[in-house]
Amino acid sequence: MKEDKKQLLLRLSPSLYEKLTRMAEEDFRSLNGEIEYLLTQAVNKKYPQNPTKTNKKG
C-alpha cells in the first residue's frame, strides 16, 4: 500500500533557500526531495535504532 505524504508549509530565509536549491541541483533532486532527504538524514542520526527510509535517491 502506498504511503500518503503529509504536506507542510515551510518558510525559509532567502539565503537558506538559495543554498538548499544549490544542494538539490548538485544532487540531481528537486528542492522538496533535497529537504526531505536532509531531514531524514538528521532524524536517522538522532534515532539510529529506528531509521526512517527515504524515497528514491536516499
Side-chain angles (χ1 to χ4, degrees), residues 2 6-7 9 11 13 16-17 22-23 25 28 31-32 36-38 40-42 47 51-52 54-55 57-58:
K2 187 173 181 178
K6 303 295 181 188
Q7 294 183 4
L9 175 63
R11 298 177 197 281
S13 69
L16 180 57
Y17 179 85
R22 195 172 328 128
M23 289 172 67
E25 290 172 357
F28 302 103
L31 179 57
N32 187 76
E36 184 175 4
Y37 174 79
L38 292 170
T40 300
Q41 295 301 306
Y47 300 104
T52 301
T54 58
N55 291 337
K57 302 177 186 175

Side-chain angles (χ1 to χ4, degrees), residues 14-48:
S15 62
L16 180 57
Y17 179 85
E18 287 182 26
K19 289 175 185 173
L20 288 169
T21 300
R22 195 172 328 128
M23 289 172 67
E25 290 172 357
E26 290 170 0
D27 293 337
F28 302 103
R29 292 189 181 96
S30 66
L31 179 57
N32 187 76
E34 185 72 13
I35 291 170
E36 184 175 4
Y37 174 79
L38 292 170
L39 287 172
T40 300
Q41 295 301 306
V43 169
N44 287 344
K45 184 176 179 182
K46 184 166 177 84
Y47 300 104

